[in-house]
Amino acid sequence: MGVLMSRRQTVERVQKVSLAVSAFKDGLREQPSTRRRAEAGTVRQGTLEQEVQEGEEEALAGPSQPEESSASKAAWERLRDGRGVEPEEFDRANRFTPPAFIRPKRELHDDEPPDISLEQREQIVNDEMCEICEVWTAESLFPCRICHRVYHDGCLRRMGYLQKDSAVEVTETAHTETGWSCYYCDNLNLLLTEEEMYSLMETLRNCKIIPGVCLTLDDFLHYKHQVHKQQFERTMPEAQEEQAALQFNALDPDKKGHIEWQDFLSHESIQLLQKIRPQNALLRLLTPKERERARAAFLALDQDNDGFIGEGECRQARHTWFRKHQKEMLSCNVSISHVGPISEGSPASSRNGKSPEKILPATKQEETSIDWPGFLRENVAYILAARPNSAALHLQPLP
């Protein structure tokens, strides 16, 4: 009787809690044990257990959503825990155990303006030992271009984060200006707190988005329409639909006709951060390496050294320095950083006899001037969006 009463209380609790909380904390973990207890109980218990299970699934998936497969549930669980989506048949025999990602938490002072000086440069120091095996082997370590961590290529392979098709690319780019992002920095979804992840998972579930599945243009536009209608209770304007189509093209640089799940997840993560967190909180996410590249970009644009640049120059930085370069650009003789400016003295700036980043002096006088703090606030989302190694542009700058 005690067991039966406990299950009745569970039904009542499930009906009261929200979809996101139950899916994240209770539903995905409790459903397997619920089925086992239902199969092992009496006829009366089994009937009650079935009712409880149906109530839980209805609360998790909604009345119109079909029952998820075990593989889909496992994918949602990996997404919730920040581990991404891995193939079910992925063999981790003789591999290191993947790290347990801990989602960040918001602090009370996060919304206050951070002190990021333009004049005071920061000293960039990488770790001396591999993040995985904690062994020092000097030049054979691959540094992350975003954070201070370094890695052995063999350790990355044993972790499953470096496959054969990407090993050569990592080797060629890790020690160049373009650089390589480690598996922490490559995943923008890890910037979300648990509460923010609740919100994103609820949105994806309500729009019937399945983790790990590529999205076509029709899928992407349908999703954007649903999100807009749920948020504003009206149809998305045609202008926003055109912007969504441009964003799809930016996420599909190879013109394959679909966008990869990880690129879609990174795009939605940075979009959510823009909506939920103020710019000051986003600025606190920047690493010393990113702040240094931002300083170099601003100083290169501030030709007269008065501490101000034009609004057009700020937009220019958004379109060029804080964006992805296509993979074929990595094979050029001149290494170009996709998160830093091209200085006038560099070989790349002398093409066609004129620097492509030069702005006429009159332009700066006619436009609104932007100082260093304003430059950071305007570009912080694009700096963060440039972290993944993918050639996709995860945040399409507005014209």
Side-chain angles (χ1 to χ4, degrees):
M1 180 61 68
V3 175
L4 297 180
M5 290 300 295
S6 174
R7 299 309 300 169
R8 291 194 183 96
Q9 293 173 359
T10 301
V11 175
E12 295 174 354
R13 185 175 68 253
V14 170
Q15 292 174 345
K16 293 179 182 178
V17 298
S18 66
L19 173 63
V21 175
S22 63
F24 189 88
K25 291 187 175 180
D26 300 321
L28 294 178
R29 295 188 180 275
E30 292 181 1
Q31 283 177 5
S33 61
T34 300
R35 290 196 183 92
R36 288 194 295 268
R37 288 195 297 270
E39 294 172 357
T42 62
V43 175
R44 181 180 178 184
Q45 289 175 328
T47 302
L48 180 58
E49 292 290 327
Q50 291 175 2
E51 294 174 356
V52 173
Q53 180 180 340
E54 292 173 357
E56 290 178 342
E57 292 177 349
E58 184 176 356
L60 293 174
S64 61
Q65 183 161 339
E67 183 179 358
E68 295 178 316
S69 64
S70 59
S72 179
K73 291 175 182 176
W76 280 113
E77 187 174 14
R78 286 193 297 267
L79 177 60
R80 177 198 65 195
D81 294 339
R83 290 177 289 163
V85 178
E86 302 164 345
E88 291 298 318
E89 66 277 5
F90 187 77
D91 182 16
R92 287 199 175 272
N94 299 321
R95 297 182 184 271
F96 290 128
T97 302
F101 295 116
I102 300 177
R103 292 196 174 275
K105 295 183 179 180
R106 295 292 306 278
E107 302 294 339
L108 294 177
H109 66 279
D110 279 355
D111 296 346
E112 300 176 2
D115 184 16
I116 305 177
S117 172
L118 176 62
E119 293 78 16
Q120 185 176 358
R121 308 302 292 266
E122 299 181 62
Q123 185 177 4
I124 306 300
V125 179
N126 289 325
D127 290 345
E128 294 183 352
M129 295 187 297
C130 174
E131 177 71 15
I132 299 173
C133 69
E134 298 183 351
V135 174
W136 178 81
T137 51
E139 295 300 326
S140 62
L141 292 170
F142 292 102
C144 175
R145 65 180 174 84
I146 304 298
C147 67
H148 54 82
R149 302 180 183 93
V150 293
Y151 301 85
H152 292 121
D153 59 341
C155 292
L156 291 171
R157 289 190 180 92
R158 294 190 64 185
M159 287 284 290
Y161 292 112
L162 189 62
Q163 306 298 330
K164 293 181 179 180
D165 55 349
S166 60
V168 176
E169 183 178 347
V170 171
T171 303
E172 291 178 350
T173 60
H175 295 283
T176 66
E177 288 184 73
T178 300
W180 163 81
S181 295
C182 68
Y183 50 82
Y184 288 103
C185 302
D186 183 61
N187 188 356
L188 294 180
N189 185 252
L190 295 181
L191 296 176
L192 302 183
T193 63
E194 288 188 3
E195 294 78 10
E196 291 164 347
M197 194 60 206
Y198 288 154
S199 175
L200 179 57
M201 288 181 64
E202 183 179 5
T203 300
L204 296 177
R205 280 181 175 275
N206 291 340
C207 296
K208 308 298 186 297
I209 298 297
I210 303 175
V213 176
C214 299
L215 280 76
T216 64
L217 177 59
D218 291 339
D219 297 332
F220 187 75
L221 293 179
H222 179 68
Y223 167 78
K224 290 295 185 180
H225 274 282
Q226 284 185 300
V227 171
H228 188 277
K229 191 171 184 179
Q230 291 175 7
Q231 184 175 359
F232 301 103
E233 297 183 352
R234 63 174 183 269
T235 305
M236 186 170 66
E238 184 177 351
Q240 292 190 24
E241 182 177 352
E242 293 177 357
Q243 289 294 331
L246 291 176
Q247 179 63 71
F248 178 88
N249 293 333
L251 291 170
D252 180 26
D254 298 329
K255 308 304 178 186
K256 296 179 292 186
H258 66 267
I259 55 179
E260 302 295 334
W261 162 254
Q262 192 61 41
D263 289 326
F264 172 74
L265 183 61
S266 293
H267 165 69
E268 288 302 305
S269 298
I270 197 67
Q271 287 276 80
L272 183 62
L273 286 175
Q274 277 191 299
K275 294 177 183 177
I276 293 181
R277 298 196 200 180
Q279 289 175 322
N280 288 334
L282 294 181
L283 286 172
R284 294 185 180 276
L285 298 177
L286 297 179
T287 65
K289 291 182 180 180
E290 289 174 317
R291 293 194 293 266
E292 275 299 293
R293 292 188 181 107
R295 287 187 183 92
F298 185 86
L299 293 173
L301 291 170
D302 185 15
Q303 300 289 328
D304 50 11
N305 298 321
D306 63 349
F308 292 90
I309 63 172
E311 186 178 0
E313 293 171 312
C314 184
R315 289 196 303 268
Q316 180 188 19
R318 196 175 307 162
H319 280 270
T320 56
W321 289 286
F322 304 122
R323 63 165 294 171
K324 291 291 181 299
H325 285 271
Q326 302 298 328
K327 291 182 179 180
E328 57 266 19
M329 295 183 69
L330 300 178
S331 61
C332 297
N333 294 329
V334 179
S335 177
I336 302 176
S337 172
H338 67 289
V339 289
I342 302 176
S343 62
E344 289 191 15
S346 67
S349 65
S350 60
R351 286 175 296 182
N352 299 327
K354 182 179 180 181
S355 172
E357 274 67 16
K358 268 195 173 181
I359 304 293
L360 294 177
T363 305
K364 182 175 178 179
Q365 297 175 359
E366 295 171 358
E367 294 181 328
T368 303
S369 296
I370 297 178
D371 59 3
W372 165 243
F375 176 81
L376 280 180
R377 289 193 299 269
E378 291 294 323
N379 288 284
V380 60
Y382 300 97
I383 300 175
L384 295 173
R387 287 185 175 186
N389 294 309
S390 168
L393 185 60
H394 297 100
L395 194 60
Q396 173 68 34
L398 296 175

